[in-house]
Amino acid sequence: MILRSPIAVKAKWELYKLIGLSPAGARFLDVYLSRRAFRKAFGRDPDFTHPVLFGEKVIVRKLFDQRKIFRLMADKLWVREFIIGKLGESFVPKLYAVYSRFEEIDFDRLPEKFVIKPNHGTHWVQFVEDKKTLDKVAARRLVNGWMRTNYYVNSREIFYKDVKPRIMVEELLEE
C-alpha cells in the first residue's frame, strides 16, 4: 500500500513540518484519521463517549488514554524486560541479539531458525526457517523499510511516537 511506504511516511512528516502542524493540530489529525478509518470499516462514526464495540474501545484508548505504561508497552524490548521481571525468562522467546542496523547482524552466530522483527511496530516479522536459504538482499530491504518507518504516522497510535527503532533477533517458536 503506497501510504505505508517509507517515502510516503517521510513525506507526511515533511508536510507536517512545512505547514507548521502544532501538537493540537496533530491531535486533531489523530482523531480525524481514526474516525475516518472506523467509518470506512464499520459504515458509521465511532461513539467516543459511550464506546460499545471493541474497535471503538481501542480507538478511545489509543486517542485519550495517556498512561505511561502504554507508551512503555509499545516498545517490544521494554515489554520483554517487564515480563521477565514479573514472571521470569521462561515466558518470553530467547533473544539472540538486538541491533540498530541490519548490516550489524552476524548471521554466522545465529542458529538455523530464528525471527527478525523490529521493536517499534506490529505485524512486522521475518521468519527464517533455514538461514542458508535466507535472501539477505530482500531481508535487508524489508528490515531497512521497518527502520525508516515511524509506526505512529500511519496508525496514529501516540504510544509508538517516541519508540527508538531497534532490530530484534529472537527464537523461532514452533509447535
Side-chain angles (χ1 to χ4, degrees):
M1 194 165 144
I2 193 154
L3 291 177
R4 292 192 176 168
S5 73
I7 294 170
V9 170
K10 185 173 183 189
K12 285 181 188 177
W13 277 114
E14 293 304 318
L15 177 63
Y16 294 169
K17 288 183 206 172
L18 181 68
I19 62 176
L21 193 62
S22 68
R27 194 82 184 120
F28 176 80
L29 186 61
D30 291 347
V31 172
Y32 169 77
L33 292 174
S34 295
R35 177 175 279 155
R36 188 175 77 172
F38 186 92
R39 187 180 320 116
K40 185 177 180 182
F42 296 101
R44 66 174 183 83
D45 281 335
D47 183 355
F48 291 148
T49 55
H50 300 97
V52 174
L53 297 177
F54 179 74
E56 290 173 321
K57 292 178 182 188
V58 168
I59 290 174
V60 167
R61 172 155 292 166
K62 84 177 189 179
L63 291 174
F64 305 114
D65 193 341
Q66 298 298 313
R67 286 181 280 172
K68 185 179 178 183
I69 190 74
F70 292 121
R71 286 184 185 268
L72 296 173
M73 286 188 178
D75 185 343
K76 290 184 183 88
L77 286 169
W78 186 89
V79 168
R80 283 184 58 85
E81 295 305 314
F82 180 81
I83 292 170
I84 289 170
K86 295 285 184 184
L87 303 174
E89 284 192 46
S90 63
F91 288 91
V92 294
K94 182 176 180 184
L95 181 65
Y96 296 122
V98 177
Y99 302 101
S100 296
R101 301 172 338 131
F102 183 85
E103 292 74 20
E104 297 172 357
I105 299 175
D106 184 1
F107 288 97
D108 296 331
R109 299 186 71 202
L110 294 174
E112 291 303 310
K113 297 179 179 187
F114 54 90
V115 296
I116 303 171
K117 63 184 182 180
N119 69 318
H120 68 290
T122 184
H123 302 298
W124 295 340
V125 64
Q126 172 73 48
F127 296 96
V128 180
E129 295 184 7
D130 181 7
K131 73 177 176 181
K132 292 180 186 117
T133 62
L134 174 66
D135 182 355
K136 291 182 183 169
V137 173
R140 176 182 292 117
R141 209 174 12 250
L142 178 66
V143 172
N144 287 340
W146 294 338
M147 298 305 285
R148 286 189 304 267
T149 302
N150 184 326
Y151 194 76
Y152 160 73
V153 173
N154 288 317
S155 71
R156 308 315 294 177
E157 293 184 51
I158 195 81
F159 312 125
Y160 289 100
K161 189 173 183 178
D162 300 318
V163 176
K164 181 182 176 192
R166 304 289 300 230
I167 302 165
M168 302 167 58
V169 180
E170 285 185 335
E171 167 187 20
L172 175 63
L173 301 177
E174 299 178 291
E175 289 187 41

